[in-house]
Amino acid sequence: MRQSSTKGFKHSASLLASRIRRASESRGFAISRVLTHWPEIAGEALAATTRPVKVSHSRNSFGATLTILTTGSHGPLVEMQKDQLRDRVNAVYGYNAISRIAITQTAPDGFAEGQAVFRPKPDVSDEPVPTSVDVEKARDLVMPVQDSGLKSALEKLGSHVNSRSRAEKLKVKK
């Protein structure tokens, strides 16, 4: 007789599997992987602005309709990528389960509390730009370094650190 290696404990996935399956089936998802692995299926860029909501089946047509939630500003971009997305989702099912994709547009914080909150990536343009004073301070600090490659890298790093600390000091004063 084989001894159990879990010593009476169960894997957390086995405890949650039935609840996840029940929740996904209530929204029409026969395969819950579409919900749980959405970034892998849709791609990182599209998954950041979309959420699968439900799969509905029509009586008169073959295939189902996948409803996707997105923000109003991303709606046209998602619309252009519907065919590729449908192919990716059907690849998960293994056959043409989804015949069309419906897009629902909403506000950036979703239409129900706790559901589909979209957080945009931080804008890189908000980073403070090093001034000539920041560059001079960094140049003075790295003066003793002999290696020119290391010296230029440290100079660049120092100027960015100085500009960031200057920007933080300005925020504190306001």
Side-chain angles (χ1 to χ4, degrees):
M1 195 161 122
R2 183 178 170 281
Q3 290 287 334
S4 174
S5 62
T6 60
K7 298 186 187 340
F9 292 101
K10 292 184 179 180
H11 293 283
S12 60
S14 66
L15 295 173
L16 297 175
S18 63
R19 289 185 179 184
I20 291 172
R21 187 181 67 246
R22 214 172 331 152
S24 61
E25 286 175 354
S26 71
R27 296 220 175 229
F29 291 96
I31 298 177
S32 61
R33 185 168 184 243
V34 174
L35 293 171
T36 58
H37 292 82
W38 183 246
E40 295 172 14
I41 295 168
E44 290 295 325
L46 197 57
T49 58
T50 60
R51 299 287 183 272
V53 177
K54 69 178 179 176
V55 174
S56 57
H57 300 275
S58 172
R59 291 183 186 166
N60 300 342
S61 66
F62 294 106
T65 301
L66 172 65
T67 304
I68 294 176
L69 180 67
T70 187
T71 58
S73 60
H74 289 98
L77 298 172
V78 176
E79 182 75 33
M80 290 188 300
Q81 299 176 14
K82 277 193 332 186
D83 293 332
Q84 293 89 357
L85 185 59
R86 184 173 43 89
D87 293 340
R88 289 178 183 173
V89 171
N90 284 333
V92 171
Y93 280 98
Y95 65 99
N96 286 332
I98 305 296
S99 61
R100 66 184 284 268
I101 293 179
I103 299 171
T104 302
Q105 297 177 353
T106 184
D109 55 356
F111 59 79
E113 189 173 321
Q115 182 180 23
V117 177
F118 298 106
R119 290 184 177 84
K121 291 184 179 177
D123 191 14
V124 180
S125 63
D126 290 344
E127 293 291 320
V129 179
T131 63
S132 59
V133 175
D134 297 328
V135 174
E136 285 301 319
K137 280 183 186 177
R139 192 172 290 145
D140 291 341
L141 287 172
V142 299
M143 189 69 70
V145 177
Q146 299 297 321
D147 185 13
S148 62
L150 178 61
K151 190 175 197 174
S152 65
L154 287 173
E155 217 173 281
K156 186 175 179 182
L157 175 66
S159 62
H160 284 287
V161 168
N162 287 337
S163 65
R164 211 171 252 227
S165 63
R166 180 179 38 82
E168 288 174 4
K169 286 178 187 175
L170 290 175
K171 284 181 184 179
V172 171
K173 287 181 182 179
K174 289 181 181 180

